[in-house]
Amino acid sequence: MTETVGPVGQAAGAQSAPGLALELEKISKSFGPVRANRDIDLAVEAGTIHGIIGENGAGKSTLMKILYGMQGADTGRMLIGGQAVDIRSSADAIAKGIGMVHQHFMLVPTFSVLENVMLGTEGGALLAEGRAATRKLLAEFAEHYGMKVDPDARVGDLPVGIRQRVEIIKALKGGAKILILDEPTGVLTPQETEGLFDILRVLKADGVTILLITHKLDEIMAITDRVSIMRRGEMVGHRDTKDTNPQELAELMVGRKVLLQVDHSPAEPKETRLSVSGLGARSQAGYKVLEDISFELRSGEILGVAGVSGNGQSELMEILSGMRPVGEGHFEVLGHRVDNRKPKDPAAMRDIGLGHIPEDRHHHGLILNFQVQENAILGYHNGEVAGAGLLMDRAKIYQHSKRLIEDFDVRNGRATVLAKHLSGGNQQKVVIAREVDAEPKVLIVGQPTRGVDVGAIEFIHKQLIALRDRGCAVLLISVELEEIMSLSDRIIVMNAGRLVGEVARGQADENELGLMMGGGRARPKVPAAQAAASGGESHV
Amino acid sequence: MFKFLGTPPPLPRWAEVLLLPLINLFVAFLACALVIAAIGEKPVEVLWTLFQGPFLFPGNMGYTLYYTTNFIFTGLAVAVAFHAKMFNIGGEGQATLGGLGVGLLVMALGGSLPMILMVPLIVLSSAAFGAAWALVPGYLQAYRGSHIVITTIMFNFIAAAIMVSLLSGPMMQPGQMSPQTAPFPGNAILYKTHDVLHWLGIGKVAESPMNLSFFIAILALIGVWLLIWRTRLGYQIRAVGHNPEAAHYAGINVPRVVMLTMAISGALAGMMALNEVAGAQQRVILNFSGNYGFVGIAVALIGRNHPIGIFLASLLFGALYQGGTEIDFNYQSITREMVVLIQGLIILFSGALYYMFNPWLARLLYLVLPRKSSPEGAVS
């Protein structure tokens, strides 16, 4: 094992300063008229953890795709260990010792861990030899780096943290000396994130050079040695982590001063607008994905639902917004009772004043091939905004979307541009604008700032609080603990499809919430039996 | 280094809509020229005939537009379904049923109603029968998950079988041996265009099967354009086509839209029978649908599912049909199969290989055209 992931430096040539694992010189890449990368220079020292931080659309992903050979640069030079290289495919990148862990896992869920790791190195026509070698490899990884994974577990059954571990092993198995991680912590609990960082530290000690791409400032501060900041396709600065602070990094990323915490006045909750009792649901395969969920949501408050992605939050949102039928139990929204005998579809929900900002804007919130103005009426196309006549009122739709674009500061947003041509943050603003502008009485919000840059996060958070102050009842579901903690007036925590605790604003502590999210420990409020049951199912 | 790897720059819209199809056609004719030269004819002369045939030879324009009418209906049928991302391969069967609808109506009512009532009923009947035939696969797709491609193909065979059994049985003209109905009475037909022009006193127009359904086809083109881009239903159809999950999120009843779309698609295909049955033949004959339903797929493909494109593509195919007949007639060495080959090459290049020249053309234009200064900011 030690020779596959051995110390770096043996390849360091004479042309460059010793100790540089990777250098980029004047890398540029354009997509049509858009310059995604402009004269990027980067020097990464061997055996360090180097962070690359920037807003969405800053060109981080493009740069990484160039590094990994998934896209060719227009101009520029790349050096690995001091030698100029020409990487034209990911196979080239792997041959040059670059491994990559993608933001979205590239695993076959129905394969076992062993089969997944073996993929690409099966050996001959018969699998026995490849299997044996891979099993040995997995044992070595477990021993050497503490990356323990059951080789015969089905990947689809594993929690995300472990799946990511499999991805890292896959990336390193060929003896990679440079490991690129693209937004690796988006789906992890704080504890899982800490586990990942431990692994990264061991790898670093072993001489692996790590490039960490993220938009989370605290992670940069926690683990990197040096950080490079990108903005609008350019490198705007390099800092030693110990010499910088989150405020400075945020300013470099956005190009102006940013409020990292929004003003949050105390809530003044009034009447109950949503009351959920004993809600349950099963997946298509028949597993319980939601069990006995009960809570109340009142006018003028934000109720945060914390939890690791995939613990029933999506199903809860889909049921409350009418996209999925109620399984067991019922809920009452704005005086209307909904259960599986009296379903309401999303159109009916909107009619009674329930808005929904879905967690996945690409799959649900937007139609990417529609123009912004067409997206601005999605879900409200039968209503006033689209005109009352037989044909849609185009002038009215145009004016409506123009107003939303201005009010919600959708940058480069023209009413007629296709939604897919907007950056992630601006796409999200279109969704937020549409739902907030409808002035819902209850708003269900999922991951409002996923993949959104710092400047836009600030704006979106302000909008949500303003909506609350106008009396809306807001249910906020997010996997970003920071977001839940800074916006919510109350927090409930979900694990394995159940509520495992409730915390008031101010009493929430990140570690404790993290433990509850992992099912580790529950607050006294939850009956002991339930807490024990959820603890038993925990994966952490 | 790194020069021109990866994705080409985007093609300007005018180039995609105008330049690319012209290049494709040009290459297709080039390929045809090679084939013609290979069998020992003069390519330029033959291709000139292919052009003259439909447009310039006296009396042929009517034939060209008669074929065009069929393609407009079947092309629109495919296009409407495609806006909801459904591949309606069943135009053939739906057209057959449309013809059955016309036939049954005329046999039931005979000459009892005046033409002013009869013609709208014929139009409705063809559309309703076509729609009903498409609704069954639509239902199976929307609520039972059977794939629309498979079911519509199957329904083509069923439709053909029904037609054979009816035309050789209950619907057959009494006292005749051929599988066809009796001629329709004079109040139950769509007049031929040359007759109408003659009555209007507009000169002498050569006889052709072209009839008033051509103008119904033009109305259908406008109607489909309005439907898709101006109505709420069209908005919902496109939403379902682009992203059914987002449509569901938006409160659109996706299965219902799927059914409605298939009904409209089937109705358009069924209306092809207006041209063939009520207009040209003025009786129901066997196999009047003549594969127009299938060629409609190519028409929609080349016409980029847009009514203007479909009109132009229909005209192209109408011209190819008529021009092909002309070549077949004028050249000993060029057989009917040869004509089909030439038509196939044109479908191949301007349909299936539509985007073949896209990357090259895009790069060429990117180098040649003056560029707008690049905007600040970037997309990932």
Side-chain angles (χ1 to χ4, degrees):
Chain A
M1 195 59 238
T2 25
E3 60 282 3
T4 46
V5 198
V8 207
Q10 67 224 33
Q15 303 122 311
S16 78
L20 285 184
L22 173 73
E23 288 166 87
L24 300 180
E25 288 175 5
K26 299 239 171 288
I27 293 278
S28 291
K29 172 77 183 173
S30 300
F31 297 99
V34 179
R35 301 182 67 183
N37 279 173
R38 263 186 281 189
D39 295 336
I40 300 287
D41 289 323
L42 181 68
V44 180
E45 263 182 67
T48 63
I49 301 183
H50 193 112
I52 293 183
I53 195 163
E55 296 189 295
N56 258 65
K60 295 176 305 218
S61 305
T62 305
L63 188 62
M64 289 312 120
K65 283 181 185 159
I66 291 169
L67 258 178
Y68 198 58
M70 293 156 80
Q71 260 160 7
D74 297 340
T75 57
R77 230 157 73 95
M78 193 194 300
L79 293 88
I80 290 177
Q83 315 228 304
V85 289
D86 185 3
I87 293 179
R88 286 165 177 271
S89 68
S90 40
D92 284 354
I94 292 166
K96 301 284 183 206
I98 299 177
M100 181 154 180
V101 175
H102 297 270
Q103 190 174 359
H104 305 287
F105 298 157
M106 309 276 181
L107 296 171
V108 184
T110 50
F111 274 15
S112 71
V113 169
L114 186 80
E115 288 168 319
N116 265 292
V117 173
M118 188 169 63
L119 210 60
T121 49
E122 298 91 351
L126 295 178
L127 290 178
E129 198 181 330
R131 275 176 183 281
T134 309
R135 199 173 285 279
K136 192 158 150 269
L137 184 83
L138 284 169
E140 280 167 356
F141 266 94
E143 190 192 341
H144 199 88
Y145 298 114
M147 294 165 78
K148 290 196 180 64
V149 199
D150 174 8
D152 301 310
R154 204 172 139 267
V155 160
D157 298 334
L158 294 174
V160 265
I162 306 294
R163 279 188 228 181
Q164 189 175 53
R165 204 171 280 180
V166 178
E167 278 278 19
I168 294 174
I169 294 172
K170 261 180 74 182
L172 290 175
K173 71 172 175 183
K177 295 186 183 61
I178 300 172
L179 180 65
I180 304 171
L181 296 140
D182 189 5
E183 303 277 2
T185 61
V187 288
L188 304 184
T189 61
Q191 282 78 9
E192 284 175 319
T193 302
E194 209 32 66
L196 169 69
F197 286 178
D198 286 341
I199 289 172
L200 296 186
R201 287 190 193 100
V202 177
L203 290 173
K204 174 182 147 184
D206 207 44
V208 178
T209 308
I210 294 163
L211 266 173
L212 176 71
I213 298 132
T214 180
H215 62 269
K216 293 186 191 166
L217 296 165
D218 50 338
E219 288 172 7
I220 290 288
M221 298 309 295
I223 187 145
T224 62
D225 299 303
R226 200 170 156 74
V227 52
S228 300
I229 304 100
M230 291 186 76
R231 182 171 79 228
R232 297 187 169 202
E234 288 179 285
M235 277 291 175
V236 292
H238 307 277
R239 297 281 186 278
D240 280 326
T241 310
K242 60 180 190 304
D243 300 332
T244 185
N245 57 61
Q247 196 64 41
E248 185 195 19
L249 291 178
E251 278 172 41
L252 281 168
M253 277 164 68
V254 183
R256 64 179 168 85
K257 285 212 176 296
V258 188
L259 279 174
L260 286 181
Q261 283 277 334
V262 272
D263 286 334
H264 186 287
S265 54
E268 292 167 19
K270 297 189 186 70
E271 82 281 5
T272 300
R273 287 188 170 174
L274 172 68
S275 97
V276 178
S277 39
L279 212 57
R282 284 170 187 277
S283 70
Q284 269 188 328
Y287 297 113
K288 278 193 172 168
V289 285
L290 218 53
E291 202 174 349
D292 197 24
I293 303 282
S294 303
F295 63 86
E296 294 205 332
L297 173 65
R298 296 196 282 169
S299 161
E301 72 167 350
I302 297 180
L303 175 61
V305 181
V308 180
S309 154
N311 275 277
Q313 302 99 311
S314 310
E315 288 81 6
L316 178 63
M317 269 192 283
E318 285 178 6
I319 289 177
L320 293 179
S321 62
M323 290 173 69
R324 177 194 266 261
V326 177
E328 296 141 31
H330 72 275
F331 64 98
E332 227 178 283
V333 56
L334 297 160
H336 299 263
R337 188 189 151 103
V338 183
D339 57 30
N340 65 9
R341 270 173 307 169
K342 271 196 288 181
K344 274 193 189 303
D345 70 1
M349 287 295 189
R350 274 193 192 85
D351 285 345
I352 63 173
L354 179 135
H356 177 202
I357 295 171
E359 57 181 338
D360 188 333
R361 58 177 169 265
H362 287 171
H363 279 120
H364 294 128
L366 291 172
I367 294 177
L368 293 175
N369 281 321
F370 267 17
Q371 296 173 350
V372 168
Q373 58 176 351
E374 292 173 303
N375 272 301
I377 57 166
L378 188 67
Y380 302 93
H381 52 273
N382 287 323
E384 261 310 280
V385 286
L390 180 68
L391 301 184
M392 293 178 117
D393 187 338
R394 309 228 314 145
K396 201 167 178 180
I397 292 169
Y398 182 78
Q399 290 306 331
H400 174 70
S401 63
K402 248 184 106 84
R403 186 171 61 75
L404 291 187
I405 287 168
E406 274 163 34
D407 290 357
F408 288 79
D409 188 31
V410 181
R411 309 246 177 97
N412 307 326
R414 293 192 319 278
T416 52
V417 80
L418 295 184
K420 68 177 172 192
H421 291 143
L422 295 180
S423 73
N426 285 320
Q427 289 174 344
Q428 186 69 358
K429 279 181 181 174
V430 172
V431 178
I432 305 246
R434 180 181 70 213
E435 300 301 322
V436 168
D437 187 72
E439 286 297 334
K441 298 194 180 80
V442 176
L443 181 64
I444 294 163
V445 189
Q447 319 292 358
T449 58
R450 175 187 277 172
V452 168
D453 51 68
V454 182
I457 289 176
E458 183 192 351
F459 180 84
I460 290 170
H461 283 176
K462 277 183 180 166
Q463 289 293 337
L464 292 178
I465 290 180
L467 192 69
R468 176 201 75 169
D469 291 342
R470 294 200 292 275
C472 181
V474 180
L475 186 70
L476 170 69
I477 292 167
S478 174
V479 293
E480 303 285 346
L481 257 190
E482 242 185 271
E483 178 165 75
I484 292 275
M485 287 168 52
S486 76
L487 285 183
S488 315
D489 301 304
R490 283 188 298 138
I491 299 169
I492 52 181
V493 184
M494 282 186 79
N495 174 260
R498 296 175 203 202
L499 287 187
V500 292
E502 176 175 340
V503 195
R505 178 180 179 76
Q507 292 168 17
D509 157 273
E510 183 158 344
N511 269 326
E512 196 165 358
L513 283 176
L515 279 174
M516 285 159 74
M517 282 159 62
R521 187 158 62 91
R523 285 234 150 192
K525 190 169 176 176
V526 181
Q530 190 179 331
S534 63
E537 285 166 30
S538 151
H539 306 299
V540 176
Chain B
M1 89 194 262
F2 290 136
K3 204 72 185 159
F4 272 155
L5 269 168
T7 43
L11 198 61
R13 181 136 176 83
W14 61 268
E16 189 187 329
V17 174
L18 285 175
L19 200 52
L20 203 54
L22 288 178
I23 292 175
N24 286 330
L25 265 187
F26 178 76
V27 176
F29 282 119
L30 218 59
C32 292
L34 287 177
V35 173
I36 294 163
I39 55 170
E41 291 289 344
K42 297 189 185 77
V44 177
E45 199 185 290
V46 174
L47 288 176
W48 178 235
T49 311
L50 189 65
F51 175 76
Q52 272 182 310
F55 297 116
L56 300 181
F57 284 173
N60 278 5
M61 194 65 198
Y63 278 89
T64 305
L65 291 179
Y66 150 72
Y67 291 123
T68 300
T69 309
N70 285 339
F71 294 126
I72 291 176
F73 281 124
T74 55
L76 282 178
V78 174
V80 166
F82 200 76
H83 277 287
K85 286 288 179 300
M86 281 184 296
F87 230 142
N88 179 10
I89 313 284
E92 197 69 17
Q94 290 143 22
T96 303
L97 262 284
L100 179 64
V102 174
L104 289 177
L105 180 83
V106 174
M107 287 175 74
L109 297 180
S112 62
L113 287 177
M115 180 176 251
I116 194 122
L117 288 176
M118 201 61 196
V119 166
L121 280 179
I122 286 174
V123 174
L124 277 181
S125 183
S126 67
F129 272 68
W133 202 242
L135 261 177
V136 185
Y139 173 83
L140 292 172
Q141 162 94 41
Y143 294 100
R144 293 288 180 270
S146 313
H147 202 285
I148 201 97
V149 169
I150 307 296
T151 45
T152 48
I153 290 177
M154 290 172 157
F155 267 60
N156 287 340
F157 291 109
I158 301 174
I162 291 176
M163 211 56 177
V164 170
S165 61
L166 286 179
L167 283 184
S168 55
M171 286 174 79
M172 192 159 74
Q173 183 178 9
Q176 294 286 323
M177 289 308 287
S178 48
Q180 58 186 28
T181 63
F184 290 173
N187 67 326
I189 57 164
L190 287 164
Y191 284 124
K192 303 266 165 65
T193 319
H194 59 89
D195 287 333
V196 176
L197 291 176
H198 185 68
W199 296 328
L200 292 175
I202 300 173
K204 251 186 62 171
V205 183
E207 283 194 16
S208 77
M210 182 190 175
N211 57 77
L212 292 181
S213 60
F214 174 76
F215 302 96
I216 299 175
I218 299 294
L219 289 179
L221 283 167
I222 298 168
V224 166
W225 180 80
L226 278 172
L227 168 76
I228 297 294
W229 282 282
R230 289 293 182 270
T231 67
R232 265 172 251 272
L233 178 60
Y235 177 87
Q236 296 182 10
I237 289 173
R238 285 182 297 129
V240 169
H242 284 305
N243 187 343
E245 289 183 60
H248 175 55
Y249 155 81
I252 295 169
N253 187 337
V254 177
R256 187 172 153 264
V257 170
V258 164
M259 301 254 309
L260 277 173
T261 309
M262 279 309 286
I264 295 168
S265 174
L268 285 162
M271 284 165 76
M272 195 208 100
L274 296 178
N275 189 40
E276 284 294 337
V277 175
Q281 307 293 341
Q282 304 182 353
R283 63 171 11 145
V284 185
I285 61 164
L286 204 56
N287 295 331
F288 71 84
S289 55
N291 281 342
Y292 293 107
F294 290 121
V295 183
I297 299 165
V299 170
L301 191 70
I302 295 173
R304 316 313 298 163
N305 298 310
H306 191 286
I308 295 175
I310 287 170
F311 177 74
L312 293 174
S314 299
L315 200 58
L316 172 71
F317 275 90
L320 283 177
Y321 266 51
Q322 182 54 27
T325 317
E326 226 40 78
I327 296 178
D328 188 20
F329 187 70
N330 286 327
Y331 294 91
Q332 283 288 307
S333 51
I334 299 181
T335 60
R336 184 74 212 150
E337 285 67 35
M338 215 51 228
V339 174
V340 175
L341 173 69
I342 289 171
Q343 290 165 348
L345 279 171
I346 289 168
I347 297 177
L348 181 70
F349 279 96
S350 42
L353 301 179
Y354 190 84
Y355 285 111
M356 187 169 74
F357 297 105
N358 190 342
W360 297 319
L361 185 64
R363 282 179 184 139
L364 185 73
L365 290 176
Y366 185 69
L367 292 178
V368 171
L369 292 177
R371 252 162 279 173
K372 281 176 248 164
S373 60
S374 77
E376 288 296 300
V379 281
S380 63

